[in-house]
Amino acid sequence: MEEEVIKKFLYVNRKAPYGTIYALESLEVVLIGAAFDQDVSLAFIDDGVYQLKKDQQTSVDSGIGVKDFSRTYRALEGYDVEKLYVDRKSMEERGLSEDDLLVDVQVFDEAQMAELMEQQDVVLSF
Amino acid sequence: MLHTVNKSPFDKNSLENCVRFSRKGHSILLFEDAIYGALKGTRFEALLTEALKNTSVYVLVPDLEARGMRMENVIEGVKATDYAGFVNLSVDNKTVQAWL
Amino acid sequence: MKFGILVNEGPYQHQASDSAYQFTKAALENGHEIYRVFFYHDGVYNASRLTVPPQDDRNIVTRWSDLGKKYKLDMVVCIAAAQRRGLLDENEAKRQGKDADNIAEGFRISGLGQLIESGIQSERMMVFGD
């Protein structure tokens, strides 16, 4: 019987939503990847923290005319993607706190984030 | 662990954050526009000199030369490499992270 | 060693595709294996058959095609990213009722699962992007 391989996948999100498509298409990879039963973590660093800002308001028919995909982050739990880590420095220097974020995350300091990165098999950066 | 950086430090904070999250014994490869971060006399020289204390820093020479620079313009301690060297660095490190 | 390559940017606009190509070529020439090259985001444009660069410049698309042919590379274009950006193979063009397709030789269109699988099967995953 073939042994099942479980690898540690880390998705590193460092870009703000809407200005470019990276945040949305990164999320699409995460959703597809969830079906593969790997050990998945998401890191939000730099402007990537803005992806998780509460109260994003836009739709195809209003505002900037772009789909609001932010609610998908809340659906991740249903796909067993539950390890979301936010870089404390990135969050704080943007004037945000955990209360501003639309999902439960773990806020990591540098040493914790560095350790998380070091443990990974596959790091996909967007 | 190998960190790759391809952005000019004047344009994006990729190099700064890469250094912030790198640990003792890690390697950092500067290529594409990130080679500007390897040069002497810029305001990032102190950051890179600090990084060199704990990590090995490499610069991709084809990217350096394409941009009118040579190894003599590079901060002492930064090592020269080429595409084959880039491949070897990624073989030698179990985890590779691209700081885009 | 077995590598997976991810190309996230289109040709010419950004150096990512050039760097990915040089890395892939160097890896192959040094006896390594490339499990798959996956093209995502604007990287899907690397597979456009209709690209016509000036004659004194490199042809990024045919360069990938030639490398793919020489080493039998599996070069996969993400279907979701491709459809958004007007990249279609013959089957997709038919299915979507479009009058043309534009995928270059050696590339194939498939799902994002192919990227995850590449991550699982490869010993190293290299990301080239902006």
Side-chain angles (χ1 to χ4, degrees), chain A residues 7 9 11 15 21-22 25 28-29 32-33 36 38 122-126, chain C residues 6 8-9 40-41 81 84-85 112-113 115-117 119-120 122 125 127 130:
Chain A
K7 284 195 166 182
F9 275 68
Y11 296 89
K15 295 185 174 96
I21 199 171
Y22 299 104
E25 287 192 331
E28 290 183 346
V29 182
I32 298 290
F36 285 76
Q38 301 292 303
V122 179
V123 183
L124 294 173
S125 322
F126 294 101
Chain C
L6 173 60
N8 284 342
E9 293 301 323
Y40 196 44
H41 301 303
R84 266 189 191 118
R85 293 167 175 85
L112 272 172
L115 171 62
I116 306 298
E117 194 200 38
I120 295 169
S122 305
M125 174 60 76
V127 181
D130 190 18

PDB file of all heavy atoms in Angstrom, chain A residues 7 9 11 15 21-22 25 28-29 32-33 36 38 122-126, chain C residues 6 8-9 40-41 81 84-85 112-113 115-117 119-120 122 125 127 130:
ATOM      1  N   LYS A   7       2.382  16.690   3.944  1.00  0.00           N
ATOM      2  CA  LYS A   7       3.419  17.714   4.005  1.00  0.00           C
ATOM      3  C   LYS A   7       2.881  18.969   4.665  1.00  0.00           C
ATOM      4  O   LYS A   7       1.687  19.234   4.665  1.00  0.00           O
ATOM      5  CB  LYS A   7       3.898  18.040   2.591  1.00  0.00           C
ATOM      6  CG  LYS A   7       4.811  16.974   2.014  1.00  0.00           C
ATOM      7  CD  LYS A   7       5.538  17.508   0.795  1.00  0.00           C
ATOM      8  CE  LYS A   7       6.696  16.611   0.409  1.00  0.00           C
ATOM      9  NZ  LYS A   7       7.423  17.158  -0.754  1.00  0.00           N
ATOM     10  N   PHE A   9       2.314  22.663   4.395  1.00  0.00           N
ATOM     11  CA  PHE A   9       2.173  23.731   3.405  1.00  0.00           C
ATOM     12  C   PHE A   9       1.947  25.059   4.131  1.00  0.00           C
ATOM     13  O   PHE A   9       1.072  25.153   4.991  1.00  0.00           O
ATOM     14  CB  PHE A   9       0.931  23.490   2.523  1.00  0.00           C
ATOM     15  CG  PHE A   9       1.167  22.589   1.345  1.00  0.00           C
ATOM     16  CD1 PHE A   9       1.446  21.241   1.524  1.00  0.00           C
ATOM     17  CD2 PHE A   9       1.075  23.084   0.040  1.00  0.00           C
ATOM     18  CE1 PHE A   9       1.637  20.405   0.431  1.00  0.00           C
ATOM     19  CE2 PHE A   9       1.272  22.247  -1.054  1.00  0.00           C
ATOM     20  CZ  PHE A   9       1.556  20.906  -0.864  1.00  0.00           C
ATOM     21  N   TYR A  11       1.085  29.042   3.279  1.00  0.00           N
ATOM     22  CA  TYR A  11       0.744  30.087   2.309  1.00  0.00           C
ATOM     23  C   TYR A  11       1.102  31.428   2.941  1.00  0.00           C
ATOM     24  O   TYR A  11       0.593  31.765   4.007  1.00  0.00           O
ATOM     25  CB  TYR A  11      -0.750  30.055   1.988  1.00  0.00           C
ATOM     26  CG  TYR A  11      -1.184  28.773   1.319  1.00  0.00           C
ATOM     27  CD1 TYR A  11      -1.596  27.679   2.071  1.00  0.00           C
ATOM     28  CD2 TYR A  11      -1.164  28.647  -0.066  1.00  0.00           C
ATOM     29  CE1 TYR A  11      -1.988  26.500   1.463  1.00  0.00           C
ATOM     30  CE2 TYR A  11      -1.558  27.468  -0.688  1.00  0.00           C
ATOM     31  CZ  TYR A  11      -1.968  26.402   0.077  1.00  0.00           C
ATOM     32  OH  TYR A  11      -2.355  25.231  -0.531  1.00  0.00           O
ATOM     33  N   LYS A  15       0.216  40.688   0.474  1.00  0.00           N
ATOM     34  CA  LYS A  15      -0.320  41.765  -0.360  1.00  0.00           C
ATOM     35  C   LYS A  15      -1.757  42.107   0.028  1.00  0.00           C
ATOM     36  O   LYS A  15      -2.526  41.241   0.444  1.00  0.00           O
ATOM     37  CB  LYS A  15      -0.246  41.353  -1.826  1.00  0.00           C
ATOM     38  CG  LYS A  15       1.201  41.197  -2.310  1.00  0.00           C
ATOM     39  CD  LYS A  15       1.283  40.915  -3.794  1.00  0.00           C
ATOM     40  CE  LYS A  15       2.724  40.898  -4.282  1.00  0.00           C
ATOM     41  NZ  LYS A  15       3.279  39.547  -4.349  1.00  0.00           N
ATOM     42  N   ILE A  21      -4.729  40.965  -7.785  1.00  0.00           N
ATOM     43  CA  ILE A  21      -5.547  39.753  -7.656  1.00  0.00           C
ATOM     44  C   ILE A  21      -4.899  38.687  -6.753  1.00  0.00           C
ATOM     45  O   ILE A  21      -5.509  37.662  -6.463  1.00  0.00           O
ATOM     46  CB  ILE A  21      -5.827  39.152  -9.061  1.00  0.00           C
ATOM     47  CG1 ILE A  21      -7.030  38.198  -9.007  1.00  0.00           C
ATOM     48  CG2 ILE A  21      -4.594  38.450  -9.630  1.00  0.00           C
ATOM     49  CD1 ILE A  21      -7.523  37.720 -10.359  1.00  0.00           C
ATOM     50  N   TYR A  22      -3.679  38.956  -6.287  1.00  0.00           N
ATOM     51  CA  TYR A  22      -2.951  37.904  -5.564  1.00  0.00           C
ATOM     52  C   TYR A  22      -3.716  37.325  -4.373  1.00  0.00           C
ATOM     53  O   TYR A  22      -3.725  36.110  -4.168  1.00  0.00           O
ATOM     54  CB  TYR A  22      -1.585  38.428  -5.096  1.00  0.00           C
ATOM     55  CG  TYR A  22      -0.700  38.861  -6.241  1.00  0.00           C
ATOM     56  CD1 TYR A  22      -0.501  40.209  -6.526  1.00  0.00           C
ATOM     57  CD2 TYR A  22      -0.097  37.913  -7.067  1.00  0.00           C
ATOM     58  CE1 TYR A  22       0.286  40.610  -7.585  1.00  0.00           C
ATOM     59  CE2 TYR A  22       0.698  38.310  -8.130  1.00  0.00           C
ATOM     60  CZ  TYR A  22       0.888  39.664  -8.390  1.00  0.00           C
ATOM     61  OH  TYR A  22       1.664  40.049  -9.439  1.00  0.00           O
ATOM     62  N   GLU A  25      -6.561  35.007  -5.663  1.00  0.00           N
ATOM     63  CA  GLU A  25      -6.096  33.769  -6.287  1.00  0.00           C
ATOM     64  C   GLU A  25      -5.317  32.890  -5.302  1.00  0.00           C
ATOM     65  O   GLU A  25      -5.277  31.672  -5.445  1.00  0.00           O
ATOM     66  CB  GLU A  25      -5.306  34.068  -7.575  1.00  0.00           C
ATOM     67  CG  GLU A  25      -6.256  34.504  -8.700  1.00  0.00           C
ATOM     68  CD  GLU A  25      -5.632  34.561 -10.097  1.00  0.00           C
ATOM     69  OE1 GLU A  25      -4.416  34.808 -10.217  1.00  0.00           O
ATOM     70  OE2 GLU A  25      -6.388  34.382 -11.064  1.00  0.00           O
ATOM     71  N   GLU A  28      -7.899  30.931  -3.590  1.00  0.00           N
ATOM     72  CA  GLU A  28      -8.379  29.839  -4.449  1.00  0.00           C
ATOM     73  C   GLU A  28      -7.461  28.618  -4.341  1.00  0.00           C
ATOM     74  O   GLU A  28      -7.927  27.481  -4.348  1.00  0.00           O
ATOM     75  CB  GLU A  28      -8.516  30.318  -5.906  1.00  0.00           C
ATOM     76  CG  GLU A  28      -9.672  31.312  -6.054  1.00  0.00           C
ATOM     77  CD  GLU A  28      -9.930  31.779  -7.485  1.00  0.00           C
ATOM     78  OE1 GLU A  28      -9.066  31.564  -8.356  1.00  0.00           O
ATOM     79  OE2 GLU A  28     -10.998  32.373  -7.713  1.00  0.00           O
ATOM     80  N   VAL A  29      -6.169  28.861  -4.226  1.00  0.00           N
ATOM     81  CA  VAL A  29      -5.230  27.737  -4.051  1.00  0.00           C
ATOM     82  C   VAL A  29      -5.494  27.050  -2.711  1.00  0.00           C
ATOM     83  O   VAL A  29      -5.535  25.818  -2.620  1.00  0.00           O
ATOM     84  CB  VAL A  29      -3.756  28.193  -4.111  1.00  0.00           C
ATOM     85  CG1 VAL A  29      -2.819  27.002  -3.974  1.00  0.00           C
ATOM     86  CG2 VAL A  29      -3.464  28.930  -5.400  1.00  0.00           C
ATOM     87  N   ILE A  32      -8.659  24.828  -2.935  1.00  0.00           N
ATOM     88  CA  ILE A  32      -8.417  23.589  -3.692  1.00  0.00           C
ATOM     89  C   ILE A  32      -7.489  22.678  -2.892  1.00  0.00           C
ATOM     90  O   ILE A  32      -7.707  21.470  -2.770  1.00  0.00           O
ATOM     91  CB  ILE A  32      -7.777  23.899  -5.067  1.00  0.00           C
ATOM     92  CG1 ILE A  32      -8.712  24.746  -5.938  1.00  0.00           C
ATOM     93  CG2 ILE A  32      -7.368  22.609  -5.774  1.00  0.00           C
ATOM     94  CD1 ILE A  32      -9.945  24.043  -6.458  1.00  0.00           C
ATOM     95  N   GLY A  33      -6.459  23.297  -2.293  1.00  0.00           N
ATOM     96  CA  GLY A  33      -5.477  22.528  -1.532  1.00  0.00           C
ATOM     97  C   GLY A  33      -6.082  21.813  -0.344  1.00  0.00           C
ATOM     98  O   GLY A  33      -5.583  20.764   0.081  1.00  0.00           O
ATOM     99  N   PHE A  36      -6.712  18.117  -0.315  1.00  0.00           N
ATOM    100  CA  PHE A  36      -5.594  17.164  -0.351  1.00  0.00           C
ATOM    101  C   PHE A  36      -5.141  16.697   1.037  1.00  0.00           C
ATOM    102  O   PHE A  36      -4.179  15.951   1.165  1.00  0.00           O
ATOM    103  CB  PHE A  36      -4.397  17.781  -1.092  1.00  0.00           C
ATOM    104  CG  PHE A  36      -4.577  17.819  -2.579  1.00  0.00           C
ATOM    105  CD1 PHE A  36      -5.411  18.765  -3.172  1.00  0.00           C
ATOM    106  CD2 PHE A  36      -3.905  16.922  -3.401  1.00  0.00           C
ATOM    107  CE1 PHE A  36      -5.583  18.804  -4.547  1.00  0.00           C
ATOM    108  CE2 PHE A  36      -4.072  16.957  -4.777  1.00  0.00           C
ATOM    109  CZ  PHE A  36      -4.918  17.902  -5.353  1.00  0.00           C
ATOM    110  N   GLN A  38      -3.523  18.031   3.545  1.00  0.00           N
ATOM    111  CA  GLN A  38      -2.161  18.299   3.976  1.00  0.00           C
ATOM    112  C   GLN A  38      -2.212  19.140   5.255  1.00  0.00           C
ATOM    113  O   GLN A  38      -3.282  19.559   5.695  1.00  0.00           O
ATOM    114  CB  GLN A  38      -1.403  19.044   2.863  1.00  0.00           C
ATOM    115  CG  GLN A  38      -1.342  18.288   1.552  1.00  0.00           C
ATOM    116  CD  GLN A  38      -0.477  17.038   1.630  1.00  0.00           C
ATOM    117  OE1 GLN A  38       0.679  17.103   1.969  1.00  0.00           O
ATOM    118  NE2 GLN A  38      -1.051  15.871   1.316  1.00  0.00           N
ATOM    119  N   VAL A 122       6.621  23.037   2.080  1.00  0.00           N
ATOM    120  CA  VAL A 122       6.284  23.803   0.875  1.00  0.00           C
ATOM    121  C   VAL A 122       5.811  25.192   1.299  1.00  0.00           C
ATOM    122  O   VAL A 122       4.877  25.313   2.089  1.00  0.00           O
ATOM    123  CB  VAL A 122       5.148  23.114   0.080  1.00  0.00           C
ATOM    124  CG1 VAL A 122       4.788  23.926  -1.154  1.00  0.00           C
ATOM    125  CG2 VAL A 122       5.539  21.692  -0.304  1.00  0.00           C
ATOM    126  N   VAL A 123       6.486  26.218   0.805  1.00  0.00           N
ATOM    127  CA  VAL A 123       6.056  27.581   1.105  1.00  0.00           C
ATOM    128  C   VAL A 123       5.599  28.232  -0.195  1.00  0.00           C
ATOM    129  O   VAL A 123       6.392  28.403  -1.120  1.00  0.00           O
ATOM    130  CB  VAL A 123       7.197  28.415   1.730  1.00  0.00           C
ATOM    131  CG1 VAL A 123       6.699  29.813   2.089  1.00  0.00           C
ATOM    132  CG2 VAL A 123       7.762  27.725   2.964  1.00  0.00           C
ATOM    133  N   LEU A 124       4.319  28.550  -0.260  1.00  0.00           N
ATOM    134  CA  LEU A 124       3.796  29.216  -1.454  1.00  0.00           C
ATOM    135  C   LEU A 124       3.551  30.686  -1.106  1.00  0.00           C
ATOM    136  O   LEU A 124       2.751  31.008  -0.235  1.00  0.00           O
ATOM    137  CB  LEU A 124       2.497  28.549  -1.917  1.00  0.00           C
ATOM    138  CG  LEU A 124       2.657  27.113  -2.428  1.00  0.00           C
ATOM    139  CD1 LEU A 124       1.307  26.473  -2.707  1.00  0.00           C
ATOM    140  CD2 LEU A 124       3.514  27.069  -3.691  1.00  0.00           C
ATOM    141  N   SER A 125       4.293  31.558  -1.774  1.00  0.00           N
ATOM    142  CA  SER A 125       4.192  32.993  -1.486  1.00  0.00           C
ATOM    143  C   SER A 125       3.371  33.683  -2.553  1.00  0.00           C
ATOM    144  O   SER A 125       3.549  33.419  -3.744  1.00  0.00           O
ATOM    145  CB  SER A 125       5.584  33.632  -1.478  1.00  0.00           C
ATOM    146  OG  SER A 125       6.516  32.776  -0.894  1.00  0.00           O
ATOM    147  N   PHE A 126       2.521  34.581  -2.093  1.00  0.00           N
ATOM    148  CA  PHE A 126       1.713  35.346  -3.055  1.00  0.00           C
ATOM    149  C   PHE A 126       1.781  36.830  -2.747  1.00  0.00           C
ATOM    150  O   PHE A 126       2.108  37.219  -1.651  1.00  0.00           O
ATOM    151  CB  PHE A 126       0.260  34.879  -3.005  1.00  0.00           C
ATOM    152  CG  PHE A 126       0.106  33.476  -3.485  1.00  0.00           C
ATOM    153  CD1 PHE A 126      -0.037  32.436  -2.579  1.00  0.00           C
ATOM    154  CD2 PHE A 126       0.165  33.172  -4.829  1.00  0.00           C
ATOM    155  CE1 PHE A 126      -0.163  31.120  -3.024  1.00  0.00           C
ATOM    156  CE2 PHE A 126       0.037  31.864  -5.274  1.00  0.00           C
ATOM    157  CZ  PHE A 126      -0.118  30.826  -4.364  1.00  0.00           C
TER     158      PHE A 126
ATOM    159  N   LEU C   6       6.941  27.207  -9.694  1.00  0.00           N
ATOM    160  CA  LEU C   6       5.713  27.996  -9.823  1.00  0.00           C
ATOM    161  C   LEU C   6       6.071  29.352 -10.426  1.00  0.00           C
ATOM    162  O   LEU C   6       6.937  30.060  -9.900  1.00  0.00           O
ATOM    163  CB  LEU C   6       5.052  28.178  -8.446  1.00  0.00           C
ATOM    164  CG  LEU C   6       3.850  29.112  -8.356  1.00  0.00           C
ATOM    165  CD1 LEU C   6       2.699  28.650  -9.256  1.00  0.00           C
ATOM    166  CD2 LEU C   6       3.355  29.207  -6.900  1.00  0.00           C
ATOM    167  N   ASN C   8       4.550  32.950 -11.416  1.00  0.00           N
ATOM    168  CA  ASN C   8       3.378  33.773 -11.099  1.00  0.00           C
ATOM    169  C   ASN C   8       3.216  35.036 -11.928  1.00  0.00           C
ATOM    170  O   ASN C   8       2.265  35.774 -11.737  1.00  0.00           O
ATOM    171  CB  ASN C   8       3.429  34.180  -9.625  1.00  0.00           C
ATOM    172  CG  ASN C   8       3.031  33.046  -8.704  1.00  0.00           C
ATOM    173  OD1 ASN C   8       2.411  32.077  -9.139  1.00  0.00           O
ATOM    174  ND2 ASN C   8       3.382  33.153  -7.437  1.00  0.00           N
ATOM    175  N   GLU C   9       4.164  35.302 -12.811  1.00  0.00           N
ATOM    176  CA  GLU C   9       4.063  36.532 -13.601  1.00  0.00           C
ATOM    177  C   GLU C   9       4.164  36.248 -15.099  1.00  0.00           C
ATOM    178  O   GLU C   9       4.785  35.263 -15.515  1.00  0.00           O
ATOM    179  CB  GLU C   9       5.156  37.529 -13.204  1.00  0.00           C
ATOM    180  CG  GLU C   9       5.003  38.071 -11.789  1.00  0.00           C
ATOM    181  CD  GLU C   9       3.689  38.791 -11.527  1.00  0.00           C
ATOM    182  OE1 GLU C   9       3.187  39.492 -12.428  1.00  0.00           O
ATOM    183  OE2 GLU C   9       3.155  38.642 -10.408  1.00  0.00           O
ATOM    184  N   TYR C  40       0.703  30.357 -12.938  1.00  0.00           N
ATOM    185  CA  TYR C  40      -0.454  30.878 -12.208  1.00  0.00           C
ATOM    186  C   TYR C  40      -0.482  32.404 -12.301  1.00  0.00           C
ATOM    187  O   TYR C  40       0.468  33.028 -12.760  1.00  0.00           O
ATOM    188  CB  TYR C  40      -0.361  30.411 -10.744  1.00  0.00           C
ATOM    189  CG  TYR C  40      -1.657  30.551  -9.984  1.00  0.00           C
ATOM    190  CD1 TYR C  40      -2.864  30.170 -10.554  1.00  0.00           C
ATOM    191  CD2 TYR C  40      -1.680  31.061  -8.680  1.00  0.00           C
ATOM    192  CE1 TYR C  40      -4.055  30.297  -9.856  1.00  0.00           C
ATOM    193  CE2 TYR C  40      -2.869  31.190  -7.965  1.00  0.00           C
ATOM    194  CZ  TYR C  40      -4.053  30.817  -8.560  1.00  0.00           C
ATOM    195  OH  TYR C  40      -5.228  30.943  -7.862  1.00  0.00           O
ATOM    196  N   HIS C  41      -1.565  32.993 -11.827  1.00  0.00           N
ATOM    197  CA  HIS C  41      -1.769  34.453 -11.956  1.00  0.00           C
ATOM    198  C   HIS C  41      -1.507  34.834 -13.427  1.00  0.00           C
ATOM    199  O   HIS C  41      -1.842  34.076 -14.336  1.00  0.00           O
ATOM    200  CB  HIS C  41      -0.831  35.238 -11.026  1.00  0.00           C
ATOM    201  CG  HIS C  41      -0.980  34.928  -9.562  1.00  0.00           C
ATOM    202  ND1 HIS C  41      -2.173  35.057  -8.878  1.00  0.00           N
ATOM    203  CD2 HIS C  41      -0.085  34.489  -8.638  1.00  0.00           C
ATOM    204  CE1 HIS C  41      -1.994  34.726  -7.599  1.00  0.00           C
ATOM    205  NE2 HIS C  41      -0.745  34.370  -7.437  1.00  0.00           N
ATOM    206  N   ALA C  81      -7.157  30.614 -13.670  1.00  0.00           N
ATOM    207  CA  ALA C  81      -6.415  31.835 -13.979  1.00  0.00           C
ATOM    208  C   ALA C  81      -6.396  32.083 -15.488  1.00  0.00           C
ATOM    209  O   ALA C  81      -6.476  33.214 -15.952  1.00  0.00           O
ATOM    210  CB  ALA C  81      -4.987  31.736 -13.445  1.00  0.00           C
ATOM    211  N   ARG C  84      -9.950  33.359 -16.923  1.00  0.00           N
ATOM    212  CA  ARG C  84     -10.122  34.777 -16.602  1.00  0.00           C
ATOM    213  C   ARG C  84      -9.392  35.677 -17.585  1.00  0.00           C
ATOM    214  O   ARG C  84      -9.812  36.784 -17.863  1.00  0.00           O
ATOM    215  CB  ARG C  84      -9.443  35.056 -15.255  1.00  0.00           C
ATOM    216  CG  ARG C  84     -10.316  34.978 -14.096  1.00  0.00           C
ATOM    217  CD  ARG C  84      -9.627  35.492 -12.834  1.00  0.00           C
ATOM    218  NE  ARG C  84     -10.490  35.108 -11.744  1.00  0.00           N
ATOM    219  CZ  ARG C  84     -10.148  34.293 -10.758  1.00  0.00           C
ATOM    220  NH1 ARG C  84      -8.932  33.828 -10.673  1.00  0.00           N
ATOM    221  NH2 ARG C  84     -11.030  33.961  -9.849  1.00  0.00           N
ATOM    222  N   ARG C  85      -8.223  35.187 -18.041  1.00  0.00           N
ATOM    223  CA  ARG C  85      -7.334  36.057 -18.817  1.00  0.00           C
ATOM    224  C   ARG C  85      -7.335  35.738 -20.314  1.00  0.00           C
ATOM    225  O   ARG C  85      -6.483  36.235 -21.052  1.00  0.00           O
ATOM    226  CB  ARG C  85      -5.908  35.938 -18.254  1.00  0.00           C
ATOM    227  CG  ARG C  85      -5.759  36.506 -16.849  1.00  0.00           C
ATOM    228  CD  ARG C  85      -4.463  36.083 -16.227  1.00  0.00           C
ATOM    229  NE  ARG C  85      -4.193  36.684 -14.922  1.00  0.00           N
ATOM    230  CZ  ARG C  85      -4.649  36.209 -13.761  1.00  0.00           C
ATOM    231  NH1 ARG C  85      -5.412  35.115 -13.744  1.00  0.00           N
ATOM    232  NH2 ARG C  85      -4.360  36.809 -12.634  1.00  0.00           N
ATOM    233  N   LEU C 112      -5.934  23.718 -10.337  1.00  0.00           N
ATOM    234  CA  LEU C 112      -5.011  24.096  -9.272  1.00  0.00           C
ATOM    235  C   LEU C 112      -4.517  22.913  -8.454  1.00  0.00           C
ATOM    236  O   LEU C 112      -3.472  22.984  -7.811  1.00  0.00           O
ATOM    237  CB  LEU C 112      -5.710  25.068  -8.313  1.00  0.00           C
ATOM    238  CG  LEU C 112      -5.630  26.548  -8.640  1.00  0.00           C
ATOM    239  CD1 LEU C 112      -6.545  27.329  -7.705  1.00  0.00           C
ATOM    240  CD2 LEU C 112      -4.195  27.026  -8.511  1.00  0.00           C
ATOM    241  N   GLY C 113      -5.289  21.829  -8.483  1.00  0.00           N
ATOM    242  CA  GLY C 113      -4.873  20.627  -7.770  1.00  0.00           C
ATOM    243  C   GLY C 113      -3.493  20.161  -8.234  1.00  0.00           C
ATOM    244  O   GLY C 113      -2.738  19.562  -7.463  1.00  0.00           O
ATOM    245  N   LEU C 115      -0.999  22.028  -8.852  1.00  0.00           N
ATOM    246  CA  LEU C 115       0.018  22.776  -8.100  1.00  0.00           C
ATOM    247  C   LEU C 115       0.238  22.121  -6.733  1.00  0.00           C
ATOM    248  O   LEU C 115       1.374  21.937  -6.296  1.00  0.00           O
ATOM    249  CB  LEU C 115      -0.413  24.241  -7.938  1.00  0.00           C
ATOM    250  CG  LEU C 115       0.449  25.094  -6.990  1.00  0.00           C
ATOM    251  CD1 LEU C 115       1.882  25.199  -7.479  1.00  0.00           C
ATOM    252  CD2 LEU C 115      -0.158  26.489  -6.819  1.00  0.00           C
ATOM    253  N   ILE C 116      -0.865  21.776  -6.084  1.00  0.00           N
ATOM    254  CA  ILE C 116      -0.762  21.139  -4.756  1.00  0.00           C
ATOM    255  C   ILE C 116      -0.041  19.795  -4.904  1.00  0.00           C
ATOM    256  O   ILE C 116       0.849  19.472  -4.116  1.00  0.00           O
ATOM    257  CB  ILE C 116      -2.172  20.911  -4.151  1.00  0.00           C
ATOM    258  CG1 ILE C 116      -2.968  22.211  -4.128  1.00  0.00           C
ATOM    259  CG2 ILE C 116      -2.052  20.290  -2.764  1.00  0.00           C
ATOM    260  CD1 ILE C 116      -2.368  23.301  -3.289  1.00  0.00           C
ATOM    261  N   GLU C 117      -0.438  19.047  -5.932  1.00  0.00           N
ATOM    262  CA  GLU C 117       0.194  17.747  -6.154  1.00  0.00           C
ATOM    263  C   GLU C 117       1.700  17.910  -6.394  1.00  0.00           C
ATOM    264  O   GLU C 117       2.516  17.118  -5.914  1.00  0.00           O
ATOM    265  CB  GLU C 117      -0.462  17.059  -7.360  1.00  0.00           C
ATOM    266  CG  GLU C 117      -0.100  15.607  -7.447  1.00  0.00           C
ATOM    267  CD  GLU C 117      -0.327  15.045  -8.838  1.00  0.00           C
ATOM    268  OE1 GLU C 117      -0.070  15.733  -9.843  1.00  0.00           O
ATOM    269  OE2 GLU C 117      -0.765  13.899  -8.900  1.00  0.00           O
ATOM    270  N   GLY C 119       3.525  20.226  -5.141  1.00  0.00           N
ATOM    271  CA  GLY C 119       4.092  20.488  -3.820  1.00  0.00           C
ATOM    272  C   GLY C 119       4.297  19.205  -3.030  1.00  0.00           C
ATOM    273  O   GLY C 119       5.280  19.052  -2.305  1.00  0.00           O
ATOM    274  N   ILE C 120       3.371  18.292  -3.185  1.00  0.00           N
ATOM    275  CA  ILE C 120       3.460  17.026  -2.454  1.00  0.00           C
ATOM    276  C   ILE C 120       4.557  16.139  -3.035  1.00  0.00           C
ATOM    277  O   ILE C 120       5.349  15.538  -2.314  1.00  0.00           O
ATOM    278  CB  ILE C 120       2.087  16.288  -2.476  1.00  0.00           C
ATOM    279  CG1 ILE C 120       1.034  17.117  -1.714  1.00  0.00           C
ATOM    280  CG2 ILE C 120       2.215  14.891  -1.876  1.00  0.00           C
ATOM    281  CD1 ILE C 120      -0.385  16.632  -1.883  1.00  0.00           C
ATOM    282  N   SER C 122       7.127  16.992  -5.187  1.00  0.00           N
ATOM    283  CA  SER C 122       8.473  17.548  -5.359  1.00  0.00           C
ATOM    284  C   SER C 122       9.180  17.636  -4.011  1.00  0.00           C
ATOM    285  O   SER C 122       8.546  17.764  -2.978  1.00  0.00           O
ATOM    286  CB  SER C 122       8.401  18.947  -5.972  1.00  0.00           C
ATOM    287  OG  SER C 122       7.683  18.913  -7.182  1.00  0.00           O
ATOM    288  N   MET C 125       9.929  23.280  -3.642  1.00  0.00           N
ATOM    289  CA  MET C 125       9.017  24.089  -4.450  1.00  0.00           C
ATOM    290  C   MET C 125       9.595  25.487  -4.574  1.00  0.00           C
ATOM    291  O   MET C 125       9.865  26.152  -3.581  1.00  0.00           O
ATOM    292  CB  MET C 125       7.634  24.135  -3.781  1.00  0.00           C
ATOM    293  CG  MET C 125       6.634  25.061  -4.435  1.00  0.00           C
ATOM    294  SD  MET C 125       6.236  24.681  -6.164  1.00  0.00           S
ATOM    295  CE  MET C 125       5.168  23.283  -5.960  1.00  0.00           C
ATOM    296  N   VAL C 127       9.248  29.334  -6.019  1.00  0.00           N
ATOM    297  CA  VAL C 127       8.240  30.300  -6.452  1.00  0.00           C
ATOM    298  C   VAL C 127       8.929  31.504  -7.098  1.00  0.00           C
ATOM    299  O   VAL C 127       9.819  32.114  -6.508  1.00  0.00           O
ATOM    300  CB  VAL C 127       7.380  30.780  -5.261  1.00  0.00           C
ATOM    301  CG1 VAL C 127       6.321  31.770  -5.721  1.00  0.00           C
ATOM    302  CG2 VAL C 127       6.736  29.594  -4.549  1.00  0.00           C
ATOM    303  N   ASP C 130       6.083  38.296  -8.421  1.00  0.00           N
ATOM    304  CA  ASP C 130       6.270  39.716  -8.155  1.00  0.00           C
ATOM    305  C   ASP C 130       5.774  40.037  -6.748  1.00  0.00           C
ATOM    306  O   ASP C 130       4.742  39.572  -6.338  1.00  0.00           O
ATOM    307  CB  ASP C 130       5.473  40.546  -9.165  1.00  0.00           C
ATOM    308  CG  ASP C 130       5.829  42.016  -9.071  1.00  0.00           C
ATOM    309  OD1 ASP C 130       6.888  42.349  -8.501  1.00  0.00           O
ATOM    310  OD2 ASP C 130       5.054  42.839  -9.569  1.00  0.00           O
TER     311      ASP C 130
END
